[in-house]
Amino acid sequence: MRVLVVEDEERLAVALRRGLMAEGFAVDIAGDGQDGLELARHGDYDAMILDVMLPRLSGYRVVRQLRAERKWLPVLMLSAKDGEYDQADGLDCGADDYLTKPFSYVVLLARLRALLRRGTPQRPAVLRHGDVELDPALRRVTVAGEEVVLTAREFALLEYLIRRPGEVVSKTELLDHVWDAAVDTAANAVEVYAGYLRRKIGRDRLETVRGAGYRLSGA
């Protein structure tokens, strides 16, 4: 197994290489984001360990660019930033896992092995269905290249549907996953917001399947 380590702290990078090589991995090191991106693009790697705060190009930008190029190399992100929103940003950008510094090497190795077991299925950071694109990290939606402004509920409804391409999703399932279960929600809430969403993304892009639910059309 070949691993790319992108880390600008030289002592940490060398320690990671030494430890991983002792476990039987082949390891390459890049000291900044730009070099890391180029190696990831052209090298035959099984996984990448990627720091967030890097010279020239941040880890967020590296992984976002890889996903934009449809490169699904598994990425374990490292960062001293341990806030929940920092971790969410890393995962939303397309990373597969996030580990805060300082970390246990035993835990890092276990998470790396878990990533390798999963393989490299497609995990796009930007979700697409036909000419509709949704970016969970930037909270941005475009239709035929034009940005569309959605409310938080409309965005959540579209995101749930776009993650289930071709599926008919029932009203009950949408209520369970898009609305707060602790809040008493009117039974017609899904119909109301489906109507709002249609007006913004185009009526022909959201289909009502009578007696069953909703699905996105036009892929």
Side-chain angles (χ1 to χ4, degrees), residues 17-124:
R17 179 167 60 183
R18 185 184 304 117
L20 291 170
M21 289 179 68
E23 296 291 333
F25 292 96
V27 182
D28 292 333
I29 292 178
D32 65 62
Q34 189 61 53
D35 287 348
L37 177 60
E38 290 304 313
L39 284 172
R41 278 172 168 160
H42 305 297
D44 184 20
Y45 295 102
D46 296 289
M48 175 165 63
I49 298 173
L50 177 67
D51 190 26
V52 170
M53 305 298 290
L54 292 166
R56 299 177 68 195
L57 206 63
S58 74
Y60 294 139
R61 292 181 63 189
V62 170
V63 73
R64 181 177 288 281
Q65 185 60 40
L66 288 173
R67 299 313 186 225
E69 295 173 9
R70 305 186 69 77
K71 297 186 184 301
W72 312 115
L73 173 68
V75 175
L76 172 57
M77 189 166 272
L78 304 179
S79 178
K81 302 168 73 173
D82 60 356
E84 58 185 19
Y85 289 105
D86 298 313
Q87 296 181 48
D89 286 344
L91 296 172
D92 280 340
C93 281
D96 300 277
D97 202 354
Y98 189 106
L99 190 60
T100 57
K101 299 176 180 179
F103 53 81
S104 160
Y105 177 73
V106 172
V107 172
L108 178 141
L109 189 60
R111 292 193 177 189
L112 178 60
R113 285 174 171 153
L115 288 185
L116 293 168
R117 285 196 300 270
R118 291 178 212 161
T120 56
Q122 294 189 4
R123 295 176 292 271

Side-chain angles (χ1 to χ4, degrees), residues 7 22 46 58 65 69 82 88 97 104 113-114 132 139-140 149-150 160 170-171 197 209 212 214:
E7 171 61 66
D46 296 289
S58 74
Q65 185 60 40
E69 295 173 9
D82 60 356
D97 202 354
S104 160
R113 285 174 171 153
V132 178
R139 311 296 293 179
R140 183 173 183 265
V149 178
L150 301 182
Y160 195 81
S170 70
K171 293 179 185 179
L197 188 57
V209 180
Y214 299 90

Side-chain angles (χ1 to χ4, degrees), residues 175-202:
L175 280 172
D176 287 344
H177 291 272
V178 177
W179 275 262
D180 188 344
V183 177
D184 187 18
T185 304
N188 69 339
V190 176
E191 296 175 21
V192 171
Y193 277 89
Y196 295 158
L197 188 57
R198 276 199 187 94
R199 286 197 284 273
K200 292 185 177 181
I201 69 171

